[in-house]
């Protein structure tokens, strides 16, 4: 029973390029959460999605960031025109139900913007 | 809004010492979950414990123990007889039980870096 998968594990982008981060939830989980961890900081919530729906995007920056969780395939966090300040670890978590207490985390994607 | 405070930025201990990591939380809701996660140098997040607000029983798991006190809004974590492998960043987190609005996100503290030396 595979856990939450994230790829790539490491991603290097030049300023102005696009970054696409993928998250495959655990089998049977239809709820996905994205968190960002800036260097030397704790994790901050970005967005919560259920299949084909964005439920809560209160933590998403208003520009350049978007997320989707299509009916088929992984959830995608997309960052357009990356800047140095986007360099961080991006973690995805999944849960089987909306009222599930626990969120299962993936290994994270470390984005470096040069 | 919820808030989790981990006032200890970094703690250094010598192996076999006991160490307590503090966590204080703020919420106006009466039903919530509290968590501890470990982040070793490799970077992944390792789940350690979940406690719901109805259950104030302390818990022990091997060398780990947790002290939950609603009266002081604290959920402290103690490692007994620390080992070098315990060196990591430890995060405390809060999640509300409500299903609407911000009820599904985890609110993390800023973490405590624990260094266990020989």
């Amino acid at each position: 029973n595979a856990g939450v998968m994230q790829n790539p594990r490491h991603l290097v982008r030049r300023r102005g390029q696009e970054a696409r981060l993928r998250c495959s939830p655990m089998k049977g989980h239809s709820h996905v959460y994205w968190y960002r961890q800036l260097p030397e900081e704790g994790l901050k919530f970005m967005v919560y999605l259920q299949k084909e729906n964005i439920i809560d995007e209160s933590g998403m920056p208003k520009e350049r960031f978007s997320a989707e969780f299509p009916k088929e395939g992984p959830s995608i966090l997309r960052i357009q025109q990356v800047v140095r300040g986007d360099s961080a670890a991006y973690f995805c978590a999944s849960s089987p139900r909306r009222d599930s207490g626990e969120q299962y985390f993936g290994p994270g994607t470390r984005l470096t913007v040069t | 809004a919820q808030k989790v405070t981990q006032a200890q930025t970094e703690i250094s201990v010598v192996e076999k010492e006991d160490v307590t990591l503090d966590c204080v939380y703020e919420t106006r809701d009466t039903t919530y979950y509290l968590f501890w996660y470990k982040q070793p140098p490799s970077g992944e997040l390792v789940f350690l414990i979940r406690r719901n607000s109805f259950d104030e029983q302390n818990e022990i798991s091997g060398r780990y123990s947790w002290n939950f006190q609603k009266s002081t809004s604290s959920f402290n974590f103690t490692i007994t007889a620390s080992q070098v492998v315990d060196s990591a960043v430890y995060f405390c987190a809060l999640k509300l039980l409500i299903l609407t609005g911000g009820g599904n996100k985890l609110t993390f503290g800023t973490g405590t870096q624990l260094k266990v030396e020989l």
Side-chain angles (χ1 to χ4, degrees):
Chain A
N1 188 14
V4 178
M5 312 275 281
Q6 287 189 251
N7 68 81
R9 295 292 304 277
H10 300 274
L11 181 62
V12 179
R13 284 287 178 266
R14 290 200 180 98
R15 279 180 297 171
Q17 290 185 320
E18 178 179 289
R20 281 186 179 235
L21 288 63
R22 292 175 185 76
C23 169
S24 296
M26 287 181 71
K27 188 176 181 181
H29 288 194
S30 58
H31 301 259
V32 164
Y33 314 79
W34 285 94
Y35 294 83
R36 177 166 66 174
Q37 183 179 27
L38 294 169
E40 310 298 325
E41 293 188 16
L43 282 76
K44 295 273 171 43
F45 168 79
M46 299 181 75
V47 62
Y48 161 43
L49 310 103
Q50 198 177 350
K51 284 282 187 182
E52 300 185 275
N53 287 303
I54 296 175
I55 308 300
D56 179 359
E57 56 182 346
S58 58
M60 284 280 269
K62 293 288 184 268
E63 297 177 352
R64 301 187 298 108
F65 285 72
S66 62
E68 62 177 15
F69 188 17
K71 189 175 180 181
E72 302 291 337
S75 175
I76 306 283
L77 180 67
R78 183 180 175 209
I79 311 172
Q80 294 178 291
Q81 299 175 318
V82 296
V83 301
R84 288 231 171 95
D86 297 332
S87 295
Y90 292 83
F91 287 91
C92 168
S94 74
S95 66
R97 300 178 310 275
R98 188 166 188 169
D99 61 349
S100 174
E102 191 172 331
Q103 296 175 9
Y104 298 82
F105 280 85
T109 293
R110 272 126 190 101
L111 172 66
T112 302
V113 179
T114 60
Chain B
Q2 301 79 251
K3 185 178 179 183
V4 176
T5 301
Q6 295 180 255
Q8 303 152 309
T9 305
E10 186 173 317
I11 301 175
S12 289
V13 298
V14 176
E15 205 176 34
K16 296 183 185 174
E17 284 185 2
D18 299 347
V19 58
T20 295
L21 309 182
D22 297 334
C23 173
V24 174
Y25 61 93
E26 295 175 32
T27 178
R28 285 184 288 184
D29 284 73
T30 56
T31 53
Y32 47 86
Y33 289 113
L34 293 164
F35 301 81
W36 276 94
Y37 287 89
K38 175 182 179 180
Q39 188 175 43
S42 52
E44 73 273 21
L45 277 173
V46 179
F47 166 80
L48 296 178
I49 191 171
R50 181 188 75 189
R51 171 67 73 225
N52 74 52
S53 54
F54 301 122
D55 183 4
E56 281 195 74
Q57 253 190 329
N58 292 328
E59 182 156 339
I60 298 174
S61 175
R63 296 184 297 109
Y64 295 169
S65 62
W66 291 269
N67 183 356
F68 176 29
Q69 292 196 339
K70 285 181 82 169
S71 60
T72 55
S73 297
S74 65
F75 186 42
N76 296 338
F77 172 32
T78 297
I79 302 175
T80 303
S82 59
Q83 300 176 2
V84 172
V85 293
D86 296 326
S87 297
V89 180
Y90 290 86
F91 291 101
C92 180
L94 169 76
K95 178 184 181 299
L96 304 181
L97 261 68
I98 60 172
L99 300 182
T100 57
N104 280 280
K105 64 183 179 186
L106 285 166
T107 299
F108 283 84
T110 50
T112 297
Q113 169 83 60
L114 174 64
K115 294 184 179 178
V116 182
E117 297 164 338
L118 291 170

